[in-house]
Amino acid sequence: MQAPPSRYREVYAAWQRDPLGFWAEAAREIDWIEPPRQIFDARAGVYGRWFTDAVCNTCWNAVDRHVRAGRGSQAAIIYDSPLAGTKRTITFHRLLTEVQVLSAILRELGVGRGDRVILYMPMVPEAIFAMLACARIGAVHSVVFGGFAPRELATRIDDAWPKLILSASCGLEPGRLVAYKPLLDEAIALARAKPEACLILQRPQAEAQMVAGRDHDWATLRDQAIVLAKSVWDCVPLAATDPLYILYTSGTTGRPKGVVRDNGGHMVALKWSMQNLYGVAPGDTFWAASDVGWVVGHSYIAYGPLLHGCTTILYEGKPVGTPDAGAFWRVIAEHGVAALFTAPTAFRAIKKEDPQGKLVAPHDLRKFRALFLAGERADPDTLMWAERLLNVPVIDHWWQTETGWAVAGNPLGLGMLPVRHGSPTVVMPGYDVRILDESCREVAANQMGSIVLKLPLPPGCLPTLWQQDARFRESYLAEFPGYYKTADAGFRDPDGYLYVMGRTDDIINVAGHRLSTGGMEEVLAAHADVAECAVIGIKDELKGEVPCGFVVCKAGVERHSDAIERELVALVREKIGPVAAFKIAVTVARLPKTRSGKILRGTMKKIADGEPWTLPATIDDPAILDEIEAVLKGRGIAG
């Protein structure tokens, strides 16, 4: 049966004709305390604000209204932790009770509207309870990835100045336990801003030492709140432009950049995306295999699915090693997942361990309809491998912490467009994407340039940085007046398909030729023995820069690395040409990554160039950088 034609072109054209009418219509999907009469005010904020006269509450829309509508017995959160050996289903009715109780506790501890609350939490249901409780009472939450180093946590405490910090005794990683409380205590000691109180969740795997007069036991206060009948706290009416949360982007020098997300625009954009981009309906099970500390966890574990009335999966585990490379298939089959959203690096890890996909066979994936990839560029080879393995649409899409939801994707809910491997497909309604050169002029189709977004940004995007309007303008708006700078580089083809080739600093200049490291990575990833790869530009006295490729071979590959490296050099020469000057391919055991799966190309480049470098706060395993440095020195590359 042939699929109906996509409605994308029609919908995007409708937005172009009447952008305010488009978002006014989308806003009808939200329960407003006072509905918006002014959809956009160009005079407000840095570049304008959405729904400036509306009043709402995000927690109401994510929880209460579903209970009122008869969905109370539906699973809201399925907690699945192979690391803890625990599974737990929380219905919307139970979620409402837990959030009301925690809201009452926060109020008893003096937290009110506009106060900041830092969450330093592992992947447990209480993390989502805490986010929603803050939203319920109008507090501004800031989730810091659990296990962050004390100094990095301290900088965020100083910037947000929280009244309260919620944390846990520990987090779990494969083969090890991470004690959070000592890290938190050290961070508070380092910080100038001192929270009035800390609420600590004692996990059975470890007990935290409490600081008298400051620390409170989460379970004890919860039980007291229920006994004292303080378990009901109504949603606080908030302006749509009031901040819902602050999420700090990576960066270890100077004052951190706190991306602000507001209440109204955030709800409207995420609700629209669940149906129209991801193609899921209320009642479906949606799984974002990320962490609540990242933007994906905010948008598509905690908020998007719950706003849409879906069941969301909270997974405390890894794609491989908990227990094996079939972990994702087990979760999808066991919980009836309709759509999975994860990072390409997760699938590269699965492909490396199980290149033939043999671990899929034992699992019933009949309810599974689509796989979405984002977080870094999805190489075509990994996409095609997943398509063959799963026989469902595999959709690359592109967005940023700052945007909060997809800039470009293949809108499953509007009807899929033809897939072009290497492209996240087309621009979503609300975004006007342009490709500009250094003179702020638009370039021709298929020509590389800086990807920018014409102002104003749509609902859901950041209105500013936390208490740093000037820095927001300088960082994002100054270089290309009238546009938001994504700092990504790429091009559009004649049909409007967008190709995001990497960060602007991943475009290397080889003897005057601007070349994309992403294009070279595509070629390397297509080699039969390569599981994953990264290409960086390293200093060269003659050419300025030359590319250097790092490759990780698939499990079971026994060929000598020298032969594979020679083949890779020849392959890039064949596919891209001698202009690439690609002569260095280095086989490594693994690549350094952040905990969200992004390859640390910038740090690798500094090591190769012999420049000073600092350990990134978000790194998953610091030992890998030492391995990279040793391999490069063995090749006479690292300075």
Side-chain angles (χ1 to χ4, degrees), residues 74-107:
Q74 178 192 314
I77 301 169
I78 296 174
Y79 170 54
D80 188 312
S81 175
L83 291 171
T86 302
K87 295 173 189 174
R88 181 180 170 196
T89 297
I90 297 133
T91 64
F92 273 105
H93 188 273
R94 170 53 58 185
L95 178 59
L96 175 58
T97 299
E98 294 289 352
V99 172
Q100 286 177 322
V101 170
L102 185 52
S103 298
I105 292 170
L106 297 183
R107 294 289 296 193

PDB file of all heavy atoms in Angstrom, residues 74-107:
ATOM      1  N   GLN A  74      -3.280   5.380  32.939  1.00  0.00           N
ATOM      2  CA  GLN A  74      -2.267   5.146  31.909  1.00  0.00           C
ATOM      3  C   GLN A  74      -0.868   5.340  32.484  1.00  0.00           C
ATOM      4  O   GLN A  74      -0.643   6.220  33.328  1.00  0.00           O
ATOM      5  CB  GLN A  74      -2.457   6.109  30.734  1.00  0.00           C
ATOM      6  CG  GLN A  74      -1.407   5.963  29.633  1.00  0.00           C
ATOM      7  CD  GLN A  74      -1.438   7.107  28.639  1.00  0.00           C
ATOM      8  OE1 GLN A  74      -2.508   7.510  28.175  1.00  0.00           O
ATOM      9  NE2 GLN A  74      -0.269   7.647  28.301  1.00  0.00           N
ATOM     10  N   ALA A  75       0.070   4.539  32.040  1.00  0.00           N
ATOM     11  CA  ALA A  75       1.466   4.726  32.454  1.00  0.00           C
ATOM     12  C   ALA A  75       1.968   6.063  31.939  1.00  0.00           C
ATOM     13  O   ALA A  75       1.865   6.356  30.744  1.00  0.00           O
ATOM     14  CB  ALA A  75       2.330   3.600  31.923  1.00  0.00           C
ATOM     15  N   ALA A  76       2.495   6.881  32.831  1.00  0.00           N
ATOM     16  CA  ALA A  76       3.118   8.143  32.442  1.00  0.00           C
ATOM     17  C   ALA A  76       4.623   7.950  32.278  1.00  0.00           C
ATOM     18  O   ALA A  76       5.225   8.410  31.297  1.00  0.00           O
ATOM     19  CB  ALA A  76       2.849   9.223  33.480  1.00  0.00           C
ATOM     20  N   ILE A  77       5.248   7.263  33.237  1.00  0.00           N
ATOM     21  CA  ILE A  77       6.693   7.007  33.224  1.00  0.00           C
ATOM     22  C   ILE A  77       6.930   5.521  33.458  1.00  0.00           C
ATOM     23  O   ILE A  77       6.368   4.932  34.387  1.00  0.00           O
ATOM     24  CB  ILE A  77       7.415   7.808  34.332  1.00  0.00           C
ATOM     25  CG1 ILE A  77       7.184   9.310  34.161  1.00  0.00           C
ATOM     26  CG2 ILE A  77       8.911   7.491  34.345  1.00  0.00           C
ATOM     27  CD1 ILE A  77       7.640  10.128  35.371  1.00  0.00           C
ATOM     28  N   ILE A  78       7.751   4.923  32.602  1.00  0.00           N
ATOM     29  CA  ILE A  78       8.249   3.576  32.852  1.00  0.00           C
ATOM     30  C   ILE A  78       9.737   3.703  33.149  1.00  0.00           C
ATOM     31  O   ILE A  78      10.515   4.120  32.293  1.00  0.00           O
ATOM     32  CB  ILE A  78       8.016   2.636  31.663  1.00  0.00           C
ATOM     33  CG1 ILE A  78       6.519   2.439  31.425  1.00  0.00           C
ATOM     34  CG2 ILE A  78       8.701   1.285  31.903  1.00  0.00           C
ATOM     35  CD1 ILE A  78       6.187   1.628  30.177  1.00  0.00           C
ATOM     36  N   TYR A  79      10.102   3.396  34.379  1.00  0.00           N
ATOM     37  CA  TYR A  79      11.504   3.445  34.814  1.00  0.00           C
ATOM     38  C   TYR A  79      12.109   2.058  34.652  1.00  0.00           C
ATOM     39  O   TYR A  79      11.609   1.080  35.207  1.00  0.00           O
ATOM     40  CB  TYR A  79      11.559   3.902  36.272  1.00  0.00           C
ATOM     41  CG  TYR A  79      12.911   3.775  36.947  1.00  0.00           C
ATOM     42  CD1 TYR A  79      14.052   4.341  36.399  1.00  0.00           C
ATOM     43  CD2 TYR A  79      13.035   3.088  38.158  1.00  0.00           C
ATOM     44  CE1 TYR A  79      15.288   4.231  37.033  1.00  0.00           C
ATOM     45  CE2 TYR A  79      14.262   2.984  38.806  1.00  0.00           C
ATOM     46  CZ  TYR A  79      15.381   3.551  38.241  1.00  0.00           C
ATOM     47  OH  TYR A  79      16.599   3.441  38.866  1.00  0.00           O
ATOM     48  N   ASP A  80      13.148   1.974  33.851  1.00  0.00           N
ATOM     49  CA  ASP A  80      13.797   0.698  33.559  1.00  0.00           C
ATOM     50  C   ASP A  80      15.293   0.875  33.806  1.00  0.00           C
ATOM     51  O   ASP A  80      15.962   1.613  33.078  1.00  0.00           O
ATOM     52  CB  ASP A  80      13.520   0.300  32.103  1.00  0.00           C
ATOM     53  CG  ASP A  80      13.995  -1.104  31.771  1.00  0.00           C
ATOM     54  OD1 ASP A  80      15.145  -1.436  32.118  1.00  0.00           O
ATOM     55  OD2 ASP A  80      13.234  -1.860  31.131  1.00  0.00           O
ATOM     56  N   SER A  81      15.805   0.233  34.839  1.00  0.00           N
ATOM     57  CA  SER A  81      17.211   0.389  35.205  1.00  0.00           C
ATOM     58  C   SER A  81      17.904  -0.962  35.287  1.00  0.00           C
ATOM     59  O   SER A  81      17.865  -1.622  36.326  1.00  0.00           O
ATOM     60  CB  SER A  81      17.358   1.115  36.545  1.00  0.00           C
ATOM     61  OG  SER A  81      18.724   1.154  36.935  1.00  0.00           O
ATOM     62  N   PRO A  82      18.551  -1.386  34.195  1.00  0.00           N
ATOM     63  CA  PRO A  82      19.353  -2.605  34.303  1.00  0.00           C
ATOM     64  C   PRO A  82      20.528  -2.439  35.261  1.00  0.00           C
ATOM     65  O   PRO A  82      21.021  -3.427  35.814  1.00  0.00           O
ATOM     66  CB  PRO A  82      19.835  -2.836  32.859  1.00  0.00           C
ATOM     67  CG  PRO A  82      19.694  -1.520  32.169  1.00  0.00           C
ATOM     68  CD  PRO A  82      18.560  -0.825  32.839  1.00  0.00           C
ATOM     69  N   LEU A  83      20.969  -1.198  35.487  1.00  0.00           N
ATOM     70  CA  LEU A  83      22.073  -0.969  36.407  1.00  0.00           C
ATOM     71  C   LEU A  83      21.651  -1.206  37.857  1.00  0.00           C
ATOM     72  O   LEU A  83      22.427  -1.711  38.672  1.00  0.00           O
ATOM     73  CB  LEU A  83      22.608   0.452  36.248  1.00  0.00           C
ATOM     74  CG  LEU A  83      23.328   0.728  34.923  1.00  0.00           C
ATOM     75  CD1 LEU A  83      23.632   2.212  34.778  1.00  0.00           C
ATOM     76  CD2 LEU A  83      24.611  -0.089  34.820  1.00  0.00           C
ATOM     77  N   ALA A  84      20.419  -0.819  38.188  1.00  0.00           N
ATOM     78  CA  ALA A  84      19.913  -1.035  39.551  1.00  0.00           C
ATOM     79  C   ALA A  84      19.119  -2.330  39.680  1.00  0.00           C
ATOM     80  O   ALA A  84      18.750  -2.722  40.786  1.00  0.00           O
ATOM     81  CB  ALA A  84      19.036   0.143  39.969  1.00  0.00           C
ATOM     82  N   GLY A  85      18.832  -2.975  38.543  1.00  0.00           N
ATOM     83  CA  GLY A  85      17.995  -4.165  38.570  1.00  0.00           C
ATOM     84  C   GLY A  85      16.572  -3.855  38.978  1.00  0.00           C
ATOM     85  O   GLY A  85      15.917  -4.645  39.669  1.00  0.00           O
ATOM     86  N   THR A  86      16.065  -2.687  38.527  1.00  0.00           N
ATOM     87  CA  THR A  86      14.758  -2.202  38.971  1.00  0.00           C
ATOM     88  C   THR A  86      13.904  -1.786  37.777  1.00  0.00           C
ATOM     89  O   THR A  86      14.406  -1.182  36.826  1.00  0.00           O
ATOM     90  CB  THR A  86      14.923  -0.986  39.901  1.00  0.00           C
ATOM     91  OG1 THR A  86      15.725  -1.356  41.017  1.00  0.00           O
ATOM     92  CG2 THR A  86      13.579  -0.466  40.382  1.00  0.00           C
ATOM     93  N   LYS A  87      12.613  -2.103  37.844  1.00  0.00           N
ATOM     94  CA  LYS A  87      11.622  -1.596  36.891  1.00  0.00           C
ATOM     95  C   LYS A  87      10.434  -1.075  37.690  1.00  0.00           C
ATOM     96  O   LYS A  87      10.047  -1.671  38.697  1.00  0.00           O
ATOM     97  CB  LYS A  87      11.167  -2.691  35.923  1.00  0.00           C
ATOM     98  CG  LYS A  87      12.264  -3.194  35.000  1.00  0.00           C
ATOM     99  CD  LYS A  87      11.792  -4.378  34.186  1.00  0.00           C
ATOM    100  CE  LYS A  87      12.958  -5.000  33.432  1.00  0.00           C
ATOM    101  NZ  LYS A  87      12.567  -6.247  32.745  1.00  0.00           N
ATOM    102  N   ARG A  88       9.873   0.021  37.207  1.00  0.00           N
ATOM    103  CA  ARG A  88       8.781   0.650  37.951  1.00  0.00           C
ATOM    104  C   ARG A  88       7.885   1.403  36.978  1.00  0.00           C
ATOM    105  O   ARG A  88       8.384   2.122  36.103  1.00  0.00           O
ATOM    106  CB  ARG A  88       9.375   1.604  38.986  1.00  0.00           C
ATOM    107  CG  ARG A  88       8.394   2.324  39.878  1.00  0.00           C
ATOM    108  CD  ARG A  88       9.185   3.215  40.841  1.00  0.00           C
ATOM    109  NE  ARG A  88       8.334   4.110  41.587  1.00  0.00           N
ATOM    110  CZ  ARG A  88       8.772   5.180  42.247  1.00  0.00           C
ATOM    111  NH1 ARG A  88      10.073   5.471  42.236  1.00  0.00           N
ATOM    112  NH2 ARG A  88       7.947   5.966  42.906  1.00  0.00           N
ATOM    113  N   THR A  89       6.588   1.239  37.100  1.00  0.00           N
ATOM    114  CA  THR A  89       5.633   1.955  36.262  1.00  0.00           C
ATOM    115  C   THR A  89       4.880   2.963  37.117  1.00  0.00           C
ATOM    116  O   THR A  89       4.329   2.605  38.170  1.00  0.00           O
ATOM    117  CB  THR A  89       4.636   0.986  35.592  1.00  0.00           C
ATOM    118  OG1 THR A  89       5.355   0.104  34.723  1.00  0.00           O
ATOM    119  CG2 THR A  89       3.608   1.746  34.775  1.00  0.00           C
ATOM    120  N   ILE A  90       4.869   4.221  36.663  1.00  0.00           N
ATOM    121  CA  ILE A  90       4.204   5.306  37.389  1.00  0.00           C
ATOM    122  C   ILE A  90       3.071   5.819  36.511  1.00  0.00           C
ATOM    123  O   ILE A  90       3.298   6.341  35.418  1.00  0.00           O
ATOM    124  CB  ILE A  90       5.196   6.435  37.717  1.00  0.00           C
ATOM    125  CG1 ILE A  90       6.296   5.919  38.653  1.00  0.00           C
ATOM    126  CG2 ILE A  90       4.487   7.630  38.358  1.00  0.00           C
ATOM    127  CD1 ILE A  90       7.666   6.292  38.238  1.00  0.00           C
ATOM    128  N   THR A  91       1.850   5.647  36.969  1.00  0.00           N
ATOM    129  CA  THR A  91       0.696   6.131  36.208  1.00  0.00           C
ATOM    130  C   THR A  91       0.595   7.653  36.314  1.00  0.00           C
ATOM    131  O   THR A  91       1.251   8.281  37.165  1.00  0.00           O
ATOM    132  CB  THR A  91      -0.601   5.514  36.740  1.00  0.00           C
ATOM    133  OG1 THR A  91      -0.806   5.970  38.091  1.00  0.00           O
ATOM    134  CG2 THR A  91      -0.556   3.994  36.697  1.00  0.00           C
ATOM    135  N   PHE A  92      -0.237   8.235  35.471  1.00  0.00           N
ATOM    136  CA  PHE A  92      -0.449   9.686  35.574  1.00  0.00           C
ATOM    137  C   PHE A  92      -1.035  10.052  36.935  1.00  0.00           C
ATOM    138  O   PHE A  92      -0.699  11.100  37.499  1.00  0.00           O
ATOM    139  CB  PHE A  92      -1.361  10.178  34.445  1.00  0.00           C
ATOM    140  CG  PHE A  92      -0.627  10.516  33.180  1.00  0.00           C
ATOM    141  CD1 PHE A  92      -0.680   9.664  32.082  1.00  0.00           C
ATOM    142  CD2 PHE A  92       0.135  11.669  33.077  1.00  0.00           C
ATOM    143  CE1 PHE A  92      -0.004   9.964  30.912  1.00  0.00           C
ATOM    144  CE2 PHE A  92       0.821  11.985  31.917  1.00  0.00           C
ATOM    145  CZ  PHE A  92       0.751  11.126  30.827  1.00  0.00           C
ATOM    146  N   HIS A  93      -1.896   9.196  37.470  1.00  0.00           N
ATOM    147  CA  HIS A  93      -2.474   9.504  38.783  1.00  0.00           C
ATOM    148  C   HIS A  93      -1.393   9.485  39.862  1.00  0.00           C
ATOM    149  O   HIS A  93      -1.325  10.376  40.714  1.00  0.00           O
ATOM    150  CB  HIS A  93      -3.579   8.499  39.127  1.00  0.00           C
ATOM    151  CG  HIS A  93      -4.342   8.855  40.368  1.00  0.00           C
ATOM    152  ND1 HIS A  93      -3.935   8.472  41.639  1.00  0.00           N
ATOM    153  CD2 HIS A  93      -5.473   9.589  40.546  1.00  0.00           C
ATOM    154  CE1 HIS A  93      -4.786   8.945  42.530  1.00  0.00           C
ATOM    155  NE2 HIS A  93      -5.723   9.625  41.898  1.00  0.00           N
ATOM    156  N   ARG A  94      -0.527   8.469  39.839  1.00  0.00           N
ATOM    157  CA  ARG A  94       0.556   8.404  40.816  1.00  0.00           C
ATOM    158  C   ARG A  94       1.538   9.554  40.609  1.00  0.00           C
ATOM    159  O   ARG A  94       2.044  10.140  41.570  1.00  0.00           O
ATOM    160  CB  ARG A  94       1.264   7.050  40.704  1.00  0.00           C
ATOM    161  CG  ARG A  94       2.568   6.910  41.477  1.00  0.00           C
ATOM    162  CD  ARG A  94       2.441   7.274  42.947  1.00  0.00           C
ATOM    163  NE  ARG A  94       1.446   6.488  43.654  1.00  0.00           N
ATOM    164  CZ  ARG A  94       1.091   6.688  44.913  1.00  0.00           C
ATOM    165  NH1 ARG A  94       1.667   7.662  45.611  1.00  0.00           N
ATOM    166  NH2 ARG A  94       0.159   5.942  45.482  1.00  0.00           N
ATOM    167  N   LEU A  95       1.803   9.889  39.351  1.00  0.00           N
ATOM    168  CA  LEU A  95       2.706  11.011  39.059  1.00  0.00           C
ATOM    169  C   LEU A  95       2.150  12.298  39.649  1.00  0.00           C
ATOM    170  O   LEU A  95       2.893  13.092  40.256  1.00  0.00           O
ATOM    171  CB  LEU A  95       2.891  11.149  37.547  1.00  0.00           C
ATOM    172  CG  LEU A  95       3.773  12.306  37.067  1.00  0.00           C
ATOM    173  CD1 LEU A  95       5.185  12.211  37.623  1.00  0.00           C
ATOM    174  CD2 LEU A  95       3.809  12.342  35.531  1.00  0.00           C
ATOM    175  N   LEU A  96       0.846  12.516  39.517  1.00  0.00           N
ATOM    176  CA  LEU A  96       0.232  13.714  40.073  1.00  0.00           C
ATOM    177  C   LEU A  96       0.421  13.755  41.590  1.00  0.00           C
ATOM    178  O   LEU A  96       0.796  14.793  42.151  1.00  0.00           O
ATOM    179  CB  LEU A  96      -1.259  13.751  39.720  1.00  0.00           C
ATOM    180  CG  LEU A  96      -2.068  14.895  40.329  1.00  0.00           C
ATOM    181  CD1 LEU A  96      -1.510  16.254  39.926  1.00  0.00           C
ATOM    182  CD2 LEU A  96      -3.538  14.782  39.936  1.00  0.00           C
ATOM    183  N   THR A  97       0.198  12.631  42.250  1.00  0.00           N
ATOM    184  CA  THR A  97       0.355  12.585  43.711  1.00  0.00           C
ATOM    185  C   THR A  97       1.794  12.897  44.115  1.00  0.00           C
ATOM    186  O   THR A  97       2.040  13.701  45.025  1.00  0.00           O
ATOM    187  CB  THR A  97      -0.047  11.199  44.243  1.00  0.00           C
ATOM    188  OG1 THR A  97      -1.421  10.959  43.927  1.00  0.00           O
ATOM    189  CG2 THR A  97       0.142  11.119  45.748  1.00  0.00           C
ATOM    190  N   GLU A  98       2.755  12.244  43.444  1.00  0.00           N
ATOM    191  CA  GLU A  98       4.162  12.455  43.793  1.00  0.00           C
ATOM    192  C   GLU A  98       4.580  13.913  43.574  1.00  0.00           C
ATOM    193  O   GLU A  98       5.322  14.487  44.384  1.00  0.00           O
ATOM    194  CB  GLU A  98       5.057  11.524  42.971  1.00  0.00           C
ATOM    195  CG  GLU A  98       4.888  10.044  43.271  1.00  0.00           C
ATOM    196  CD  GLU A  98       5.436   9.644  44.626  1.00  0.00           C
ATOM    197  OE1 GLU A  98       6.091  10.466  45.287  1.00  0.00           O
ATOM    198  OE2 GLU A  98       5.214   8.483  45.029  1.00  0.00           O
ATOM    199  N   VAL A  99       4.108  14.510  42.489  1.00  0.00           N
ATOM    200  CA  VAL A  99       4.483  15.893  42.189  1.00  0.00           C
ATOM    201  C   VAL A  99       3.823  16.857  43.163  1.00  0.00           C
ATOM    202  O   VAL A  99       4.438  17.831  43.609  1.00  0.00           O
ATOM    203  CB  VAL A  99       4.136  16.239  40.725  1.00  0.00           C
ATOM    204  CG1 VAL A  99       4.347  17.723  40.455  1.00  0.00           C
ATOM    205  CG2 VAL A  99       4.984  15.407  39.772  1.00  0.00           C
ATOM    206  N   GLN A 100       2.572  16.580  43.535  1.00  0.00           N
ATOM    207  CA  GLN A 100       1.905  17.426  44.524  1.00  0.00           C
ATOM    208  C   GLN A 100       2.627  17.368  45.868  1.00  0.00           C
ATOM    209  O   GLN A 100       2.848  18.398  46.527  1.00  0.00           O
ATOM    210  CB  GLN A 100       0.457  16.971  44.697  1.00  0.00           C
ATOM    211  CG  GLN A 100      -0.455  17.354  43.537  1.00  0.00           C
ATOM    212  CD  GLN A 100      -1.863  16.815  43.728  1.00  0.00           C
ATOM    213  OE1 GLN A 100      -2.047  15.704  44.225  1.00  0.00           O
ATOM    214  NE2 GLN A 100      -2.849  17.586  43.332  1.00  0.00           N
ATOM    215  N   VAL A 101       3.012  16.165  46.279  1.00  0.00           N
ATOM    216  CA  VAL A 101       3.716  16.009  47.557  1.00  0.00           C
ATOM    217  C   VAL A 101       5.050  16.745  47.530  1.00  0.00           C
ATOM    218  O   VAL A 101       5.389  17.491  48.461  1.00  0.00           O
ATOM    219  CB  VAL A 101       3.927  14.517  47.876  1.00  0.00           C
ATOM    220  CG1 VAL A 101       4.875  14.348  49.067  1.00  0.00           C
ATOM    221  CG2 VAL A 101       2.603  13.835  48.171  1.00  0.00           C
ATOM    222  N   LEU A 102       5.817  16.552  46.466  1.00  0.00           N
ATOM    223  CA  LEU A 102       7.116  17.207  46.387  1.00  0.00           C
ATOM    224  C   LEU A 102       6.956  18.725  46.287  1.00  0.00           C
ATOM    225  O   LEU A 102       7.758  19.478  46.854  1.00  0.00           O
ATOM    226  CB  LEU A 102       7.912  16.667  45.191  1.00  0.00           C
ATOM    227  CG  LEU A 102       9.354  17.170  45.050  1.00  0.00           C
ATOM    228  CD1 LEU A 102      10.151  16.991  46.338  1.00  0.00           C
ATOM    229  CD2 LEU A 102      10.052  16.481  43.888  1.00  0.00           C
ATOM    230  N   SER A 103       5.918  19.179  45.599  1.00  0.00           N
ATOM    231  CA  SER A 103       5.651  20.617  45.542  1.00  0.00           C
ATOM    232  C   SER A 103       5.416  21.179  46.933  1.00  0.00           C
ATOM    233  O   SER A 103       5.915  22.263  47.282  1.00  0.00           O
ATOM    234  CB  SER A 103       4.423  20.892  44.659  1.00  0.00           C
ATOM    235  OG  SER A 103       4.636  20.467  43.330  1.00  0.00           O
ATOM    236  N   ALA A 104       4.651  20.438  47.737  1.00  0.00           N
ATOM    237  CA  ALA A 104       4.395  20.878  49.113  1.00  0.00           C
ATOM    238  C   ALA A 104       5.680  20.921  49.926  1.00  0.00           C
ATOM    239  O   ALA A 104       5.908  21.837  50.722  1.00  0.00           O
ATOM    240  CB  ALA A 104       3.372  19.940  49.766  1.00  0.00           C
ATOM    241  N   ILE A 105       6.564  19.927  49.712  1.00  0.00           N
ATOM    242  CA  ILE A 105       7.847  19.911  50.427  1.00  0.00           C
ATOM    243  C   ILE A 105       8.689  21.118  50.028  1.00  0.00           C
ATOM    244  O   ILE A 105       9.284  21.792  50.886  1.00  0.00           O
ATOM    245  CB  ILE A 105       8.600  18.592  50.127  1.00  0.00           C
ATOM    246  CG1 ILE A 105       7.868  17.407  50.756  1.00  0.00           C
ATOM    247  CG2 ILE A 105      10.045  18.666  50.633  1.00  0.00           C
ATOM    248  CD1 ILE A 105       8.394  16.059  50.308  1.00  0.00           C
ATOM    249  N   LEU A 106       8.755  21.411  48.735  1.00  0.00           N
ATOM    250  CA  LEU A 106       9.525  22.567  48.272  1.00  0.00           C
ATOM    251  C   LEU A 106       8.999  23.852  48.892  1.00  0.00           C
ATOM    252  O   LEU A 106       9.771  24.729  49.312  1.00  0.00           O
ATOM    253  CB  LEU A 106       9.486  22.657  46.743  1.00  0.00           C
ATOM    254  CG  LEU A 106      10.112  21.504  45.958  1.00  0.00           C
ATOM    255  CD1 LEU A 106      10.066  21.789  44.451  1.00  0.00           C
ATOM    256  CD2 LEU A 106      11.536  21.228  46.390  1.00  0.00           C
ATOM    257  N   ARG A 107       7.683  23.963  48.963  1.00  0.00           N
ATOM    258  CA  ARG A 107       7.092  25.167  49.569  1.00  0.00           C
ATOM    259  C   ARG A 107       7.453  25.256  51.054  1.00  0.00           C
ATOM    260  O   ARG A 107       7.752  26.337  51.569  1.00  0.00           O
ATOM    261  CB  ARG A 107       5.568  25.148  49.392  1.00  0.00           C
ATOM    262  CG  ARG A 107       5.101  25.269  47.952  1.00  0.00           C
ATOM    263  CD  ARG A 107       5.313  26.642  47.386  1.00  0.00           C
ATOM    264  NE  ARG A 107       4.514  27.655  48.079  1.00  0.00           N
ATOM    265  CZ  ARG A 107       4.317  28.888  47.623  1.00  0.00           C
ATOM    266  NH1 ARG A 107       4.846  29.259  46.473  1.00  0.00           N
ATOM    267  NH2 ARG A 107       3.603  29.753  48.301  1.00  0.00           N
TER     268      ARG A 107
END
